[in-house]
Amino acid sequence: MSEGLRIVSLLPSATEIAVALGLQENLVGRSHECDFPPAVKALPVCTSTKLEKGLSSRAIEDRVKAIVEKGLSVYDVDAPLLKSLRPDVILTQAQCAVCAVTPADLEEALASWVGTPPRLVSLAPDDLSDVFGDFARVAEAAGVPERAPAAIARMREGIATRPTLPQGSPRMLAVEWIEPLMVAGNWVPELVAAAGAEPLLAAPGVHSHWIEADAVVAADPDVIAFMPCGYQLAQTLPEARALLAGEPWRSLRAVREGRVFAVDGHHLFNRPGPRLAESAEVLACLVHAPDDIPERLQPFIARL
């Protein structure tokens, strides 16, 4: 019963979930970061960020801390525009106040709403099971619960576990932030395992967390994948290269053997939606065939 339903998505992964469920025509507004599929860029933009462009990972961390310490949000919501779009459903998230707009950011707009307020669907996945559950939640909110199983099945098929290499599973470190150093948690360890590798310093369903370089040295990974949150390859490469040029990084096994990669965190790994299937495929390439990357995945991978 999605006909006539108006949806505003303030979360890139939710936008992609909605599209996977056949709800693209129902989308009437988006966040400033919703950019896939490309057609959604034509939608009105309802949010903006207080973070300046071009900041390093350290500068971003410092800026976010300064904003949060003042009791402010990292994001601004265009309340007049949001109201003018007359959404029946607003898709957002409650997992990370730094990553995207949260329900708290919408309080002012919703408090002064005239008429029936929109239904707020707030996603907060910790692991792949939760991501699959979010497909069902969005489908139910849109009145099309019957569409979720097929979309989930397609995604499960794309994340199917790859065979283990004859020499065993390489140990992979997935890095979600460069300075300070953060290891990727939540659903990423499951993607690493599905790719045929052993996730290091992280566990499925456990939030991404800060680590010290000493822990990386002790683990001495076979493969390292840099996937900073919100970073595309062009942003990741200079910071990752600078880090790898110094000690103790350049002495690590993965660095010595040329098995360090940057992957597109912004478009793939940081978005808990349909393209986690592509994320798993990217990791499988790093494990099984780093010298034979399919052309369609090459824009998301760079060897360091």
Side-chain angles (χ1 to χ4, degrees):
M1 253 57 75
S2 64
E3 186 175 352
L5 189 79
R6 300 174 65 82
I7 301 173
V8 168
S9 176
L10 302 182
L11 182 67
S13 59
T15 298
E16 295 183 26
I17 288 173
V19 172
L21 293 169
L23 298 168
Q24 183 168 334
E25 296 303 315
N26 298 94
L27 292 169
V28 297
R30 66 176 178 97
S31 79
H32 61 286
E33 292 186 327
C34 295
D35 58 6
F36 191 86
V40 304
K41 294 180 182 179
L43 296 172
V45 178
C46 302
T47 65
S48 59
T49 177
K50 294 185 175 77
L51 298 177
E52 300 84 355
K53 291 185 177 180
L55 297 178
S56 67
S57 57
R58 167 54 69 182
I60 290 173
E61 175 66 13
D62 292 343
R63 178 82 171 105
V64 167
K65 281 185 176 179
I67 292 171
V68 173
E69 285 174 358
K70 294 178 181 178
L72 302 174
S73 169
V74 178
Y75 300 98
D76 290 317
V77 176
D78 187 335
L81 173 60
L82 186 62
K83 292 175 183 178
S84 73
L85 295 174
R86 299 177 289 105
D88 302 296
V89 175
I90 297 177
L91 304 178
T92 183
Q93 60 89 39
Q95 185 182 59
C96 173
V98 175
C99 302
V101 171
T102 68
D105 298 322
L106 294 168
E107 285 180 357
E108 182 178 348
L110 294 177
S112 57
W113 205 273
V114 177
T116 304
R119 177 175 177 180
L120 199 61
V121 180
S122 186
L123 310 181
D126 288 329
D127 57 18
L128 285 180
S129 176
D130 291 339
V131 176
F132 299 141
D134 286 342
F135 277 76
R137 294 185 65 201
V138 173
E140 187 277 329
V144 289
E146 71 281 357
R147 297 184 188 178
I152 293 170
R154 288 193 297 270
M155 187 173 167
R156 284 187 184 276
E157 183 178 357
I159 301 177
T161 301
R162 274 68 175 178
T164 303
L165 293 171
Q167 63 268 37
S169 299
R171 297 162 308 117
M172 178 182 289
L173 176 70
V175 177
E176 188 167 302
W177 201 246
I178 295 176
E179 189 180 1
L181 193 64
M182 175 181 280
V183 64
N186 299 99
W187 49 86
V188 172
E190 293 174 273
L191 300 181
V192 171
E198 175 190 344
L200 284 180
L201 306 177
V206 178
H207 286 297
S208 303
H209 56 274
W210 307 116
I211 58 171
E212 298 294 334
D214 289 349
V216 179
V217 173
D220 199 14
D222 300 306
V223 183
I224 300 174
F226 287 93
M227 51 183 73
C229 185
Y231 270 36
Q232 298 183 48
L233 286 182
Q235 296 167 281
T236 301
L237 290 173
E239 287 199 47
R241 285 172 176 151
L243 184 71
L244 296 173
E247 293 293 353
W249 290 85
R250 64 184 179 187
S251 298
L252 294 174
R253 180 198 313 270
V255 179
R256 297 197 314 269
E257 297 180 357
R259 302 189 70 186
V260 183
F261 305 86
V263 294
D264 192 326
H266 174 66
H267 284 118
L268 297 184
F269 297 88
N270 312 146
R271 296 190 182 188
R275 289 197 292 171
L276 288 188
E278 288 178 70
S279 302
E281 191 175 359
V282 164
L283 294 183
C285 289
L286 307 190
V287 172
H288 296 274
D291 297 317
D292 190 23
I293 306 295
E295 186 175 352
R296 63 185 174 80
L297 296 180
Q298 289 177 11
F300 304 116
I301 305 171
R303 199 165 199 160
L304 291 162

